[in-house]
Amino acid sequence: MSKMQLITKGFVKDNPTFVLLLGMCPTLATTTSAINGLSMGLATLFVLVLSNMAISLVAKVTPDKVHIPVYIVVIATFVTVLQLLMQAFTPAIYSALGVFIPLIVVNCIILGRAEAFASKHNVIDSALDGIGVGLGFVVSLTVIGIVREILGSGSVFGWKFITGDGILAFIMAPGAFLVLGYLMVLFNKYLAKK
Amino acid sequence: MAAKSNLTNMALVLSATCLICAAILGCVYAVTAAPIAETNANIQKAAIAAVLPEGVEVSEAVPIKVGGEDSEYYVGTKDGAPVAYAVKSTTSGFGGALTLMVGLTPDGKVYNTSVLSHTETPGLGAKCTSDPAFTAQWKGFDTGSKILSVKKDGGDVDAITASTITSRAYTLAVKNAYEAVKGLAK
């Protein structure tokens, strides 16, 4: 697989949200607005790239029976680093995402890529894989966030184009499922055509 | 692929991983501790400034019981006389703790309110920080002539659309703050 393919496959073929259906918990919970979805995507991207790189380095010396605990410790470390950095420098985003920052540790995209890719490939390929899948996650979350914000609040990235409230249900959990479901339909329709 | 497991290398690798990770975390914590403390202090300072009249001197934190819980308040003084109190008040909202900074004047009026931290639903309860229809009513809210509870419960507070629980929690926080400093003014 070429280097370019490693980066682009996360957008369409191996899109974590619409094709692999991984990381559904943060996807449904944090996409209440475009900016929240984007921030969550970027936070996950950061952890994914670093943990992929670190894990590809330690995979060879890690005994088989303890590889999951080792990976989890590595991932948890990067998440905590991210949490501290966000708390210090971007407090507004930190408080908007709340509990979902620490929960990146258990995001199955990250452990999934570690197991399926990083543990079997070299550092550079693993980093590219992290960037590709991470960007796919960023784009998916931002798109869901934009749709939910337009329908639910009548605004895009905080810029309001109607007065008053939108359709409140789209900000709540049912709206998350509806938007995700319909976007998945469109996505698969597009894939089937190709 | 991964090395074959035996007790020695499992213990070694796990210990080494934890040791390195702990060292990294220690370093990052040391670097970010000061900015985090500064950010939190700024948030608190901005909240106090927002709920007190302009140009007052703010005292150090004074411990007080608000709604039966340990909390603190700040006295805003002008020319040596206290003109307003900023009270930190925590209640439980729809999604968890809702912490407000409530500014009160000695004549029983709410000067202003500000949200320190909350975990309300984005787009619904979280509007308690931004919806002008809700936040503006607190400015100059007179506890003498108006009742501190939401309209649904027979009071004079306009609740946020579809967020009665958050509105109730917010109102209760203001009420607790008012009850706590009521005695101080005299």
Side-chain angles (χ1 to χ4, degrees):
Chain A
M1 200 184 277
S2 79
K3 305 266 185 242
M4 202 56 214
Q5 269 176 311
L6 280 178
I7 292 194
T8 53
K9 68 170 184 199
F11 286 96
V12 183
K13 194 167 92 39
D14 278 345
N15 186 297
T17 307
F18 297 127
V19 177
L20 304 179
L21 294 187
L22 289 176
M24 282 297 115
C25 166
T27 304
L28 293 168
T30 62
T31 53
T32 50
S33 71
I35 194 76
N36 283 359
L38 179 67
S39 318
M40 186 65 202
L42 290 176
T44 310
L45 172 73
F46 171 89
V47 174
L48 187 54
V49 173
L50 289 179
S51 70
N52 256 8
M53 288 166 73
I55 283 164
S56 78
L57 284 173
V58 299
K60 282 210 173 56
V61 295
T62 307
D64 208 24
K65 279 184 186 156
V66 292
H67 73 281
I68 296 281
V70 168
Y71 295 174
I72 292 282
V73 171
V74 170
I75 295 167
T77 305
F78 286 123
V79 171
T80 313
V81 167
L82 174 79
Q83 195 181 355
L84 288 169
L85 290 174
M86 288 182 78
Q87 216 174 342
F89 302 111
T90 56
I93 300 174
Y94 177 76
S95 63
L97 295 180
V99 72
F100 291 99
I101 298 291
L103 281 180
I104 294 175
V105 178
V106 288
N107 188 323
C108 30
I109 295 174
I110 294 173
L111 196 59
R113 291 329 287 175
E115 276 284 277
F117 195 94
S119 60
K120 297 172 192 138
H121 294 79
N122 65 33
V123 184
I124 297 167
D125 284 358
S126 300
L128 291 175
D129 176 75
I131 293 172
V133 175
L135 283 177
F137 194 58
V138 172
V139 172
S140 314
L141 256 58
T142 312
V143 169
I144 300 175
I146 289 174
V147 174
R148 287 181 68 188
E149 198 183 337
I150 289 176
L151 294 171
S153 313
S155 60
V156 183
F157 283 100
W159 179 78
K160 241 174 141 54
F161 58 80
I162 60 160
T163 49
D165 295 324
I167 309 160
L168 285 175
F170 281 99
I171 307 250
M172 307 287 286
F177 284 102
L178 273 176
V179 171
L180 181 67
Y182 275 104
L183 286 177
M184 220 178 272
V185 169
L186 291 175
F187 199 84
N188 283 322
K189 201 171 169 213
Y190 165 76
L191 279 188
K193 256 193 207 151
K194 281 217 300 191
Chain B
M1 224 6 241
K4 202 155 168 45
S5 319
N6 59 49
L7 193 61
T8 329
N9 72 3
M10 285 197 291
L12 262 177
V13 168
L14 264 181
S15 313
T17 312
C18 291
L19 206 66
I20 295 168
C21 289
I24 295 173
L25 283 182
C27 293
V28 175
Y29 178 78
V31 173
T32 52
I36 289 175
E38 199 182 318
T39 311
N40 288 341
N42 282 343
I43 293 172
Q44 175 118 336
K45 230 178 174 173
I48 295 170
V51 300
L52 292 180
E54 267 178 60
V56 297
E57 260 182 64
V58 180
S59 73
E60 293 293 312
V62 188
I64 194 176
K65 287 253 181 210
V66 176
E69 301 285 326
D70 283 324
S71 185
E72 58 197 36
Y73 75 101
Y74 302 80
V75 188
T77 50
K78 201 169 201 175
D79 305 325
V83 290
Y85 304 94
V87 188
K88 197 170 172 180
S89 179
T90 304
T91 51
S92 78
F94 187 72
L98 174 71
T99 306
L100 301 186
M101 190 62 85
V102 184
L104 293 149
T105 50
D107 58 359
K109 277 186 184 157
V110 177
Y111 187 79
N112 204 350
T113 59
S114 164
V115 179
L116 281 175
S117 68
H118 74 90
T119 48
E120 301 308 299
T121 318
L124 289 170
K127 277 191 191 158
C128 68
T129 61
S130 60
D131 188 356
F134 181 74
T135 53
Q137 65 180 323
W138 294 109
K139 278 185 193 154
F141 191 97
D142 189 351
T143 52
S145 62
K146 287 179 174 174
I147 302 163
L148 259 177
S149 61
V150 294
K151 284 200 171 138
K152 219 183 214 172
D153 303 337
D156 286 309
V157 177
D158 277 319
I160 305 164
T161 314
S163 310
T164 312
I165 294 174
T166 305
S167 309
R168 275 191 191 133
Y170 203 106
T171 309
L172 182 65
V174 175
K175 192 173 181 179
N176 286 345
Y178 166 68
E179 302 281 343
V181 293
K182 199 162 60 170
L184 297 171
K186 284 158 196 155

